[in-house]
């Protein structure tokens, strides 16, 4: 159990990053030291981008320094303005990306099972100012991409998926990243695939990729030509070299996560008041998070169970509580009214994400479930 503990106590954290082999990484660093090329589309960057596109089965991918800047730049790429329909049940960066672009977020409720944007509620929220839909594949579970796509087609809206949790997820053998106009990934330390910090935008055509690449590099399209008001959101060579090694050793990690998720599910099965998310049909999941939902038939309230787990050294997280619509910047919006988003308002008060990462031991999962069971 030692590997799963922080250095000086018995705490089990919600996630632990997988790191590349240190000796291999040192070799990469030596190359970087030798080349003295640190950022701005270096060799490691180019190699990582091309290997990653192949690995994920996508046509074009542009690397970013983090997922939030990738989201902000994705909106710039498609020149999104006005209002965008999105979900309040996500990490706050999803909506902040709209705010940083001067776009008004319009919150729409989520489906009661997986917590993804509910396509049946989208149409009612469309106004003449709506230009796009920004759904999130929450916990890596795919949104209803077919229905979202149909609505977008009818109303002439763009679709940008926040796919921060959806690395390598497939639906009917097709990468989920290939749906919508753009998909945005995060490679933050807490994600299934990390480059310490990092992110990417996936797109379907060369022209769009070119615009994305200009935008993340101040808008430069040549030494003295600036074609757009870009930003600095480039991934550096150290991150890219690290990412390449991560890619080489990624095999088997999802299987390990799947084993953990199945172990949790088996043990939690008969506990009244605890709901887990089952795998979706025809989906290859990445098991990035393991959320449970605590309802009224469980003797403890969610926060009491969360605190009890913490007292026992199990640091789950309430992803996503509070709802984004509850934060001061967004609370005043009419779509933030809990009556507009009743399902999200319920789920946010029920969720605890339990620890899941490739090195977690099955006996730790058993300990966690015993704590939950003993209070039921
Ligand atoms: N869209 C969505 C849907 C997202 O979920 C996110 C990020 C984004 C966009 C934006 O992407 P980035 O700009 O971040 O690339 C974490 C992450 O910081 C954030 O990336 C992630 N979502 C969010 C869901 O979770 P915190 O505030 O919970 O992080 P923190 O530091 O409390 O870490 C969580 C756990 O992981 C802790 O128990 C400790 C452990 N940990 C963390 C780090 C950083 C480690 O063991 N090692 C580490 O290096 O937000």
């Amino acid at each position: 159990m030692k590997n799963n503990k922080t250095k000086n106590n018995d705490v089990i954290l919600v996630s632990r990053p997988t790191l590349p082999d240190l000796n291999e990484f040192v070799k990469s660093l030596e190359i970087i030291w030798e080349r003295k090329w640190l950022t701005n589309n270096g060799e490691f960057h180019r190699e990582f981008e091309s290997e990653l596109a192949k690995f994920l089965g996508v046509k074009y991918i542009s690397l970013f320094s983090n997922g939030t800047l990738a989201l902000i730049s994705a909106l710039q790429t498609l020149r999104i303005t006005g209002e965008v329909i999105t979900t309040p049940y996500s990490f706050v960066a999803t909506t902040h990306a709209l705010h940083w672009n001067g776009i008004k977020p319009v919150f729409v409720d989520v489906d009661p099972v997986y917590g993804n944007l509910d396509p049946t509620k989208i149409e009612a929220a469309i106004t003449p100012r709506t230009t796009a839909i920004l759904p999130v594949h929450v916990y890596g579970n795919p949104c209803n991409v077919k229905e979202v796509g149909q609505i977008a087609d009818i109303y002439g809206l763009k679709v940008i998926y926040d796919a921060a949790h959806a690395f390598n997820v497939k639906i009917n053998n097709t990468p989920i990243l290939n749906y919508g106009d753009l998909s945005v990934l995060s490679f933050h330390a807490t994600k299934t695939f990390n480059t310490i910090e990092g992110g990417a935008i996936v797109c379907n055509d060369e022209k769009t990729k070119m615009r994305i690449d200009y935008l993340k590099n101040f808008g430069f399209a040549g030494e003295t030509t600036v074609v757009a008001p870009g930003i600095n959101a480039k991934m550096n060579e150290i991150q890219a070299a690290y990412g390449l090694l991560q890619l080489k050793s990624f095999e088997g990690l999802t299987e390990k996560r799947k084993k953990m998720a199945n172990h949790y599910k088996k043990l939690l099965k008969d506990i009244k008041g605890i709901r887990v998310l089952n795998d979706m049909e025809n989906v290859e999941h990445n098991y990035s998070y393991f959320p449970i939902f605590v309802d009224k038939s469980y003797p403890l309230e969610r926060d009491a169970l969360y605190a009890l787990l913490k007292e026992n050294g199990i640091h789950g997280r309430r992803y996503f509580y509070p709802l984004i619509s509850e934060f001061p910047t967004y609370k005043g919006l009419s779509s933030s009214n809990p009556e507009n988003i009743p399902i999200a308002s319920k789920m946010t008060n029920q969720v605890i994400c339990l620890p899941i990462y490739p090195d977690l031991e099955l006996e730790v999962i058993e300990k966690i479930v015993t704590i939950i069971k003993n209070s039921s």
Side-chain angles (χ1 to χ4, degrees), residues 107-120:
F107 296 116
V108 159
D109 211 1
V110 299
D111 82 77
V113 180
Y114 292 97
N116 286 330
L117 193 68
D118 183 346
T120 66

Side-chain angles (χ1 to χ4, degrees), residues 234-294:
K234 290 162 279 144
M235 179 179 276
N236 66 53
E237 282 292 272
I238 296 180
Q239 283 172 286
Y242 178 106
L244 261 174
L245 294 176
Q246 293 285 64
L247 209 50
K248 283 177 190 151
S249 56
F250 190 75
E251 208 189 317
L253 296 184
T254 305
E255 269 311 302
K256 284 190 181 172
R257 284 176 174 275
K258 183 176 182 172
K259 202 170 157 194
M260 322 238 144
N262 284 341
H263 203 53
Y264 266 128
K265 282 181 205 167
K266 193 178 85 192
L267 299 175
L268 288 166
K269 200 163 62 113
D270 297 322
I271 305 183
K272 206 162 168 240
I274 300 291
R275 180 171 78 88
V276 301
L277 298 187
N278 291 320
D279 285 4
M280 292 170 159
E281 223 174 286
N282 302 325
V283 170
E284 277 175 51
H285 291 272
N286 65 7
Y287 307 95
S288 46
Y289 294 85
F290 194 85
I292 59 167
F293 297 88
V294 185

Side-chain angles (χ1 to χ4, degrees), residues 71-265:
L71 271 174
I72 290 171
S73 305
L75 292 157
Q76 283 281 325
T77 302
L78 302 180
R79 299 179 174 86
I80 305 298
T81 56
E83 294 177 5
V84 168
I85 289 172
T86 191
T87 168
Y89 191 73
S90 179
F91 188 60
V92 71
T94 310
T95 308
H96 280 350
L98 296 170
H99 191 82
W100 276 69
N101 275 291
I103 296 164
K104 181 180 170 189
V106 176
F107 296 116
V108 159
D109 211 1
V110 299
D111 82 77
V113 180
Y114 292 97
N116 286 330
L117 193 68
D118 183 346
T120 66
K121 310 263 172 66
I122 292 176
E123 273 183 289
I126 296 174
T127 75
R129 283 172 51 78
T130 310
T131 55
I133 309 171
L134 176 60
V136 181
H137 302 298
V138 183
Y139 312 128
N141 295 313
C143 294
N144 190 334
V145 286
K146 199 171 151 213
E147 284 182 28
V148 170
Q150 278 166 356
I151 295 165
D153 284 349
I154 293 168
Y155 290 90
L157 305 176
K158 300 285 185 197
V159 180
I160 299 175
Y161 282 106
D162 180 338
H165 304 170
F167 185 84
N168 210 26
V169 170
K170 295 194 179 78
I171 180 163
N172 294 316
N173 292 322
T174 303
I176 194 69
L177 303 171
N178 286 340
Y179 289 89
D181 295 285
L182 300 174
S183 288
V184 177
L185 286 159
S186 164
F187 307 142
H188 182 260
T190 53
K191 298 291 186 284
T192 47
F193 178 89
N194 84 81
T195 57
I196 305 174
E197 292 272 1
I201 303 180
V202 170
C203 69
N204 301 314
D205 66 279
E206 203 176 347
K207 211 172 143 205
T208 307
K209 156 118 176 105
M210 204 186 287
R211 177 162 164 78
I212 295 168
D213 289 346
Y214 293 157
L215 281 171
K216 72 175 184 184
N217 186 27
F218 312 98
F220 274 111
E223 197 179 321
T224 53
T225 313
V226 171
V227 293
I231 199 164
N232 182 359
K234 290 162 279 144
M235 179 179 276
N236 66 53
E237 282 292 272
I238 296 180
Q239 283 172 286
Y242 178 106
L244 261 174
L245 294 176
Q246 293 285 64
L247 209 50
K248 283 177 190 151
S249 56
F250 190 75
E251 208 189 317
L253 296 184
T254 305
E255 269 311 302
K256 284 190 181 172
R257 284 176 174 275
K258 183 176 182 172
K259 202 170 157 194
M260 322 238 144
N262 284 341
H263 203 53
Y264 266 128
K265 282 181 205 167

